Amino acid sequence: MKKIIYLFFTCMFVAVWSCQRVLETKLDNSYGDEITWKLPDYALGVLMNAYANIPNLPSSYDGDFLDVATDNAYSNNPSSDLSKYVKGRISPTVNPFDNWGTAYTQFRNIHLFLERGLGDNIIYSLSDSLKDVKIRNRSRGEAHFLRAWWGMELLQVFGGITADGQALGYPIILKNLTMEDQGNMEMMSRNTYEECVLQIIADCDSAFKYLPLNYVGGDEETGVKQDGRANGRAALALQSRAALFGASPAYQPAGSFALSEDSVNKKWIRVVALSERAIHTGALGAYTALTENMYVGPSVQGDTNDEFIFRTWFNSNVLERNNFPPLFYGAGRTNPSQNLVDAYPAKNGFPISDARSGYDPQNPYVNRDNRFYLTIFYNGKVFNGDRPLEIYTDSNGMKMRDVAGYDYQNTATGYYLKKFMSPKKDMLYNPATLGAVNDFHQYPLIRRAEVYYNLAEALNEIAGPKGAVTGSSHTAYNIMKEIRAKNGVTATNYLDEMAIDKALFSQLIQNERRIEFAFENKRFFDLRRNLLPLNETIKGVEIVQTVSGFIYRGTDPDEAGIVVEQRNLDDPKHYYLPLSYDKIVTNNNLIQNKGW
């Protein structure tokens, strides 16, 4: 990845162009051909630009995690894009999720490279013909993977149902557009959702053909030195993701375009086939549980956690500056919600709303799923080896150091974010040095666990919790049993109860997915593709210290709870995001998603 970054900056000056018209990219072939397509580093730099806009921070939405636009969290920055969005401030002219221009600019980089960067006029190694072939093959594979990646990014943002019931995605463009192409507006019509899914899958097949399965060993071009680039495993896992979205309820055409039950079932079968392929052909290995500080480090290439199939990394303290409690020199920006806290089951597997869980609302943080302790800082939890957090008011009404009201940036929900945060003591201010330090972080864009969750969801849809599906050695039940057990929930009583019904088991999978991928920017899209409620009120906790101990308000799931924020996303149109106004008015062939 260091090489990627180097190449990006080396050739930035040849990568700047204007954004215009429908696809927001310059539509001619003037790109400094005399220089770019004769010098290997410049040619590769064009392709590297398609990596450059992939975020290396999970909080890449104007400084927020995407989870603050869901029931998982609240942002204490009221002026941020997502804080405005949850109040209903989104339209065809104001859309904080709009990645259209970025994606089509990257498509242009990719197509330019495929058309101009692999010709005989460029030699990537004068002294070693085998090395030249390796670079060409790897780069060709990366180009197809990146086209699939940006296609998927577009699909999950703009894919939707139109007023007449069509399921549409984005305009598929497979070449660098000329001025003549620009005049062909039909070329810029939205393809069907299924056509987009098939294109992403096809590009991943092409990527897999040319990419190494993983970057291991000492080879200069296919070994560990290239760790961080797209690989064969990532291509197979991305196929599984695309297939899952393609089978999801929100993206099945309606009305006269509606599909038969058999057609939808075939889409779920495709998810099974591609997920099993990713697991076996990709040699992914078994699901492994989240671990302490899994997202922090390493400092060298080749130390990537096996769980992370495709990831970016960064060395900074920006996440900590934004999200540490203010008394630890952070801004306390991302506040996990009580809604999310309530989603973690008890250690015996029962949800805390079930009396059999043994859950005590006045002692709420004991005996919970291990993932809770890896994700959230709560009252009394020791912060980075320093002191227990004081998120309470004492018996005299005095606000303690970490509770709302003591500092204007203190948590509004009663919780701080732990996941992705460095565990270093005195990270943002060391009394000895009077300065801050950085730490290495990894942001997983595709995780091994995702493939298993995709597979479980599809198996359940086809055959129910325990049913067998041809081509798979798994069942949805066994996958969930293993995942829960590895996260400290070994009892199966509740799992067995939910397994009597496909719909109940689907709810269990959705909740497991929620807590597994919390703050990895997945729930926003999972809510939409499954047509789950978007307008859940964000809740928090209030804690008062008395002579006999703490009194908690808001932790009893049978009570109304402490309201932190109402969400104004109750209109069905919010399941699909709007294409921007300027694209719609300049091209009648671009059909808007319904409701906008």
Side-chain angles (χ1 to χ4, degrees):
M1 188 60 75
K2 292 178 182 176
K3 187 175 182 181
I4 293 171
I5 295 170
Y6 167 76
L7 287 172
F8 167 63
F9 285 110
T10 298
C11 45
M12 265 183 74
F13 74 93
V14 297
V16 180
W17 49 77
S18 62
C19 294
Q20 55 183 247
R21 301 293 302 263
V22 179
L23 297 183
E24 296 191 5
T25 177
K26 188 175 179 181
L27 302 178
D28 64 65
N29 287 317
S30 59
Y31 198 81
D33 290 359
E34 290 300 317
I35 297 175
T36 303
W37 305 116
K38 289 183 179 180
L39 298 178
D41 280 355
Y42 283 17
L44 290 173
V46 175
L47 179 61
M48 292 306 102
N49 281 330
Y51 275 109
N53 284 105
I54 297 175
N56 66 353
L57 283 169
S59 57
S60 59
Y61 293 84
D62 188 29
D64 279 322
F65 289 80
L66 191 51
D67 284 47
V68 305
T70 76
D71 50 0
N72 275 0
Y74 166 83
S75 173
N76 71 6
N77 180 0
S79 64
S80 75
D81 289 343
L82 296 192
S83 291
K84 297 172 184 175
Y85 161 74
V86 297
K87 296 176 175 62
R89 293 177 62 181
I90 182 173
S91 71
T93 56
V94 180
N95 182 359
F97 312 103
D98 191 344
N99 61 357
W100 187 283
T102 298
Y104 279 100
T105 296
Q106 303 320 317
F107 284 155
R108 184 172 192 267
N109 285 330
I110 293 161
H111 296 145
L112 280 168
F113 179 79
L114 286 171
E115 294 168 15
R116 308 297 300 276
L118 297 170
D120 294 337
N121 56 311
I122 297 181
I123 300 175
Y124 290 99
S125 178
L126 291 170
S127 59
D128 187 340
S129 60
L130 181 58
K131 180 178 179 179
D132 181 77
V133 171
K134 288 179 181 178
I135 294 174
R136 288 174 184 276
N137 284 342
R138 188 196 66 217
S139 300
R140 187 188 299 274
E142 287 179 286
H144 283 283
F145 174 84
L146 289 165
R147 188 164 70 183
W149 178 266
W150 286 108
M152 189 67 227
E153 290 294 289
L154 278 174
L155 190 62
Q156 64 184 5
V157 170
F158 291 108
I161 305 299
T162 63
D164 60 357
Q166 297 182 76
L168 299 183
Y170 58 92
I172 296 174
I173 304 296
L174 300 178
K175 66 173 186 174
N176 182 41
L177 300 181
T178 65
M179 294 301 293
E180 183 179 351
D181 294 328
Q182 183 184 11
N184 179 9
M185 301 304 281
E186 278 293 331
M187 194 173 185
M188 300 171 198
S189 301
R190 294 173 71 187
N191 287 78
T192 67
Y193 201 98
E194 175 66 5
E195 287 170 343
C196 293
V197 170
L198 290 174
Q199 181 58 50
I200 293 167
I201 290 172
D203 271 325
C204 287
D205 274 334
S206 297
F208 179 75
K209 178 180 177 181
Y210 291 104
L211 290 171
L213 190 64
N214 202 13
Y215 294 101
V216 295
D219 188 276
E220 183 77 11
E221 302 304 331
T222 61
V224 70
K225 186 176 180 179
Q226 304 300 336
D227 184 30
R229 293 177 181 266
N231 57 35
R233 286 177 173 173
L236 297 179
L238 186 57
Q239 284 187 325
S240 172
R241 179 185 294 180
L244 180 76
F245 274 72
S248 295
Y251 306 121
Q252 306 314 308
S256 60
F257 300 95
L259 300 175
S260 67
E261 183 178 344
D262 182 60
S263 296
V264 176
N265 199 54
K266 287 179 179 177
K267 292 183 178 182
W268 286 115
I269 292 172
R270 181 174 62 191
V271 180
V272 171
L274 292 177
S275 299
E276 288 285 1
R277 183 189 182 202
I279 291 168
H280 294 290
T281 305
L284 291 187
Y287 168 88
T288 55
L290 300 184
T291 58
E292 191 76 29
N293 305 320
M294 183 173 170
Y295 300 85
V296 182
S299 60
V300 295
Q301 289 175 307
D303 283 346
T304 301
N305 192 303
D306 287 340
E307 174 66 17
F308 300 162
I309 300 174
F310 184 51
R311 60 97 177 105
T312 56
W313 62 270
F314 55 98
N315 181 24
S316 77
N317 58 27
V318 64
L319 286 181
E320 291 76 19
R321 281 189 284 109
N322 284 340
N323 295 292
F324 270 14
L327 268 290
F328 292 92
Y329 304 98
R333 180 161 177 168
T334 304
N335 304 166
S337 65
Q338 186 67 46
N339 314 55
L340 175 60
V341 171
D342 290 347
Y344 292 90
K347 271 285 178 63
N348 65 7
F350 286 97
I352 64 168
S353 57
D354 191 307
R356 293 170 293 176
S357 68
Y359 173 73
D360 179 1
Q362 294 307 313
N363 193 14
Y365 309 131
V366 298
N367 297 322
R368 304 292 289 273
D369 183 299
N370 291 345
R371 288 168 287 190
F372 168 71
Y373 304 106
L374 299 172
T375 306
I376 295 170
F377 279 120
Y378 51 88
N379 181 54
K381 177 75 171 178
V382 175
F383 186 86
N384 285 18
D386 193 302
R387 63 169 174 81
L389 290 172
E390 301 172 358
I391 314 176
Y392 63 89
T393 302
D394 74 8
S395 57
N396 296 316
M398 180 177 292
K399 301 288 186 181
M400 303 307 288
R401 288 180 284 184
D402 306 305
V403 76
Y406 184 92
D407 184 282
Y408 78 100
Q409 290 182 313
N410 277 358
T411 174
T413 63
Y415 302 100
Y416 292 96
L417 180 62
K418 185 175 190 295
K419 196 173 189 178
F420 288 107
M421 300 299 118
S422 171
K424 288 183 178 179
K425 190 174 185 294
D426 298 326
M427 182 173 183
L428 298 185
Y429 179 77
N430 188 316
T433 63
L434 303 181
V437 297
N438 293 330
D439 204 355
F440 286 86
H441 302 70
Q442 295 192 68
Y443 173 29
L445 300 165
I446 306 177
R447 277 179 51 196
R448 172 169 52 192
E450 180 185 344
V451 179
Y452 281 99
Y453 275 90
N454 296 348
L455 178 59
E457 187 172 335
L459 289 169
N460 186 57
E461 290 295 328
I462 298 166
K466 296 185 177 181
V469 174
T470 301
S472 176
S473 59
H474 299 86
T475 66
Y477 177 90
N478 286 338
I479 293 172
M480 288 297 107
K481 179 182 177 181
E482 180 177 14
I483 287 173
R484 284 162 69 88
K486 288 185 175 180
N487 288 289
V489 180
T490 56
T492 63
N493 306 63
Y494 180 71
L495 195 67
D496 294 335
E497 289 182 12
M498 298 296 278
I500 65 172
D501 181 79
K502 182 170 82 171
L504 289 176
F505 209 75
S506 177
Q507 293 175 21
L508 183 141
I509 293 172
Q510 289 165 1
N511 191 70
E512 288 290 323
R513 189 177 176 104
R514 176 184 188 177
I515 61 180
E516 177 78 35
F517 299 108
F519 302 100
E520 295 182 37
N521 298 332
K522 285 186 169 27
R523 184 158 177 80
F524 180 85
F525 300 110
D526 283 342
L527 289 173
R528 281 156 181 76
R529 68 180 182 81
N530 286 309
L531 300 173
L532 298 175
L534 305 178
N535 59 349
E536 294 288 324
T537 298
I538 299 301
K539 298 179 181 180
V541 62
E542 291 180 355
I543 309 169
V544 176
Q545 187 186 48
T546 68
V547 292
S548 57
F550 291 115
I551 296 176
Y552 290 81
R553 292 183 59 242
T555 54
D556 190 335
D558 293 328
E559 297 179 355
I562 307 297
V563 174
V564 174
E565 183 178 51
Q566 301 283 356
R567 295 288 169 89
N568 299 328
L569 301 172
D570 50 358
D571 193 308
K573 70 181 182 180
H574 290 294
Y575 286 107
Y576 309 108
L577 300 172
L579 277 70
S580 70
Y581 174 78
D582 64 331
K583 297 178 185 64
I584 295 296
V585 298
T586 56
N587 183 0
N588 292 331
N589 291 306
L590 283 176
I591 304 174
Q592 181 65 279
N593 286 329
K594 67 177 181 180
W596 300 103

